[in-house]
Amino acid sequence: MFERLERLSPDPILGLMAAFRADADPRKVDLGVGVYRNDQGDTPILRAVRQAEQAMLGRQTTKVYVAPAGNPGFNQALERLVLGDDHSTLTGGRVRTIQAPGGCGALRLGAELIRAADPAAVVHVSTPTWANHVPLLSGCGLKLERYPYFDPATGGVNFSAMLAALERLPARAVVLLHASCHNPTGADLSEAQWRELVALFKRRGLLPFIDIAYQGLGTGVAEDAFGPRLFGAELPEVLVAVSCSKNFGLYRERTGALLVINETPAAAETALTQLVRIARTLYSMPPDHGAAIVHEILANEDLRAMWAEEVAAMRARIQGLRREAVEQLKRTCPQRDFGFIERQRGMFSYLGVDVEQVRELRTRHHVYMTDDSRINIAGLHRENLEYFAKAVAMALTGT
Ligand code: LMR
């Protein structure tokens, strides 16, 4: 049977992670996989997570299954974190949530729900989008198309092209949006642009599928959820895929959820029955640990305050690094304007070098980034920033 299988090349992001780990050069710089790092280049467990974990482990008395939709306390806490405490969809009972194995699990559950409702549905993703969106969403058989998004000339969003493309979509077309910290470009929609979009979605009858994977790492915890909050308040149906990997630092615990906002509580409940069935056929039930930690943190005033401080520190560090990277690059590459890096948000930016230069940076300077020149800003720190800026200058000038 398995002799027939074709050997596949590694995933572009995870393959890079493995190549970096195997590189023995002490100067190596990891700007590949989207993992937050501190000034020492480490990804430590958040203090709030550590404390929540200890409190919770001491109290847990069983390992019996949680529930088909996961931990109800976690689901409710996450709804409030994403939508805000008194959001009209919550007071109106129009939201149902299923815990998922990470943001990826949530995205796949959402795609499967769309396919169950309409096997011919088309999902439109931004150009570019996170590499794994494509297999995650199309893997269940949904058709994928693209809409224009990033403008390399400005480093921002080509909003008029985006609007024009979405305006042409038929009713019930699904549009995947990044709530904040767009992966891979760092180019986010402004509040005014979200408002224009919601009017378009309403007029055209489009279904938004919002991916929120970096809440708190862009502008602020509430600010980064502006899109889902506005869309939820204004539209009858919205899907929101939530990841706790980055903002809680729970990467390996696979912690996330899918929120379904529907027109009525009964319709939301129906969608949840479908989701529970879909999860049952894929992996039965989600893992407990990460969700239990997040629930513990969000339900406890002190831990929640500690977490909010830690997220704010991550955000401030990323913004600081963005400023410093621009400063350093200005000195080493005066011929080129890297100012867009400071205007963008979240962990990623496109450096804007070609694939040969990316390879040169990797093989000659041990600076790792994906082939499209996406850099994880959080992988920079005081020790490697100057080295990085010099390596970029050498790659750009061919010296
Ligand atoms: C990334 O974009 O690097 C992260 O979201 C990690 C991943 O799974 O690709």
Side-chain angles (χ1 to χ4, degrees):
M1 175 70 80
F2 302 128
E3 280 166 8
R4 302 170 186 197
L5 288 177
E6 175 199 345
R7 181 181 284 245
L8 299 179
S9 44
D11 172 272
I13 295 175
L14 304 185
L16 198 64
M17 188 166 107
F20 179 81
R21 281 183 183 163
D23 186 337
D25 196 288
R27 294 166 302 172
K28 66 182 179 175
V29 179
D30 184 9
L31 309 179
V33 68
V35 165
Y36 178 80
R37 296 183 197 288
N38 65 14
D39 244 340
Q40 287 72 49
D42 302 325
T43 309
I45 299 173
L46 297 190
R47 278 194 305 130
V49 165
R50 178 77 82 194
Q51 289 195 17
E53 197 164 44
Q54 278 161 357
M56 180 195 95
L57 284 178
R59 271 202 328 269
Q60 278 194 336
T61 53
T62 181
K63 290 288 184 193
V64 80
Y65 298 117
V66 182
N71 177 335
F74 163 79
N75 288 345
Q76 276 174 22
L78 221 56
E79 286 169 2
R80 288 202 293 269
L81 184 70
V82 173
L83 296 169
D85 280 335
D86 305 312
H87 197 269
S88 61
T89 54
L90 295 175
T91 51
R94 294 171 47 217
V95 189
R96 292 294 181 281
T97 297
I98 182 166
Q99 186 190 320
C104 287
L107 286 161
R108 184 52 174 259
L109 286 174
E112 297 277 355
L113 182 70
I114 292 164
R115 196 183 60 116
D118 179 3
V122 180
V123 183
H124 299 261
V125 299
S126 61
T127 307
T129 196
W130 177 45
N132 206 30
H133 274 149
V134 176
L136 265 178
L137 299 173
S138 64
C140 67
L142 286 179
K143 191 161 178 254
L144 237 64
E145 279 180 17
R146 294 183 176 271
Y147 61 85
Y149 183 80
F150 184 60
D151 181 359
T154 62
V157 179
N158 186 348
F159 193 59
S160 55
M162 177 184 184
L163 279 185
L166 298 187
E167 196 68 69
R168 288 194 294 272
L169 297 185
R172 292 157 60 107
V174 184
V175 181
L176 186 87
L177 299 165
H178 300 224
S180 62
C181 308
H182 186 270
N183 181 2
T185 67
D188 281 350
L189 296 162
S190 68
E191 293 191 358
Q193 290 171 335
W194 279 108
R195 286 203 180 86
E196 269 194 68
L197 273 187
V198 82
L200 187 157
F201 273 66
K202 203 183 272 184
R203 195 168 63 244
R204 302 292 309 166
L206 308 179
L207 175 71
F209 189 176
I210 307 182
D211 185 0
I212 179 159
Y214 299 90
Q215 188 178 2
L217 295 187
T219 309
V221 172
E223 291 84 345
D224 291 348
F226 182 84
R229 292 179 185 190
L230 178 72
F231 273 54
E234 298 283 325
L235 297 175
E237 295 179 348
V238 185
L239 291 178
V240 188
V242 190
S243 168
C244 300
S245 295
K246 280 83 182 186
N247 54 357
F248 287 86
L250 284 169
Y251 309 88
R252 64 171 62 174
E253 302 296 355
R254 310 312 301 137
T255 311
L258 180 75
L259 274 58
V260 183
I261 298 172
N262 220 325
E263 200 154 15
T264 62
E269 195 60 40
T270 300
L272 183 64
T273 64
Q274 290 277 342
L275 284 168
V276 164
R277 175 69 58 85
I278 291 165
R280 180 76 168 146
T281 63
L282 291 173
Y283 54 85
S284 189
M285 271 176 255
D288 171 61
H289 194 69
I293 292 169
V294 171
H295 180 209
E296 183 83 24
I297 292 173
L298 295 178
N300 177 304
E301 219 177 290
D302 294 340
L303 288 179
R304 193 183 176 112
M306 186 185 289
W307 169 75
E309 248 177 57
E310 293 186 278
V311 176
M314 289 195 256
R315 180 169 69 239
R317 178 165 183 279
I318 292 171
Q319 274 319 108
L321 281 168
R322 285 185 172 279
R323 268 194 304 279
E324 287 176 46
V326 173
E327 279 303 306
Q328 291 282 353
L329 288 166
K330 203 185 276 175
R331 288 206 280 119
T332 59
C333 316
Q335 74 283 13
R336 193 130 163 183
D337 179 14
F338 285 98
F340 61 88
I341 293 178
E342 201 177 337
R343 295 192 294 276
Q344 295 168 345
R345 287 287 172 279
M347 302 222 287
F348 307 113
S349 283
Y350 269 161
L351 192 57
V353 300
D354 64 33
V355 69
E356 273 80 45
Q357 290 161 337
V358 167
R359 298 273 162 80
E360 160 104 0
L361 280 161
R362 195 181 307 159
T363 49
R364 198 169 142 212
H365 302 287
H366 309 271
V367 175
Y368 287 73
M369 65 190 73
T370 48
D371 282 349
D372 54 7
S373 88
R374 186 193 78 167
I375 54 172
N376 171 17
I377 301 284
L380 294 170
H381 49 77
R382 290 216 162 69
E383 306 281 293
N384 67 18
L385 203 55
E386 201 182 326
Y387 175 77
F388 159 75
K390 283 187 181 153
V392 172
M394 284 194 255
L396 277 179
T397 53
T399 51

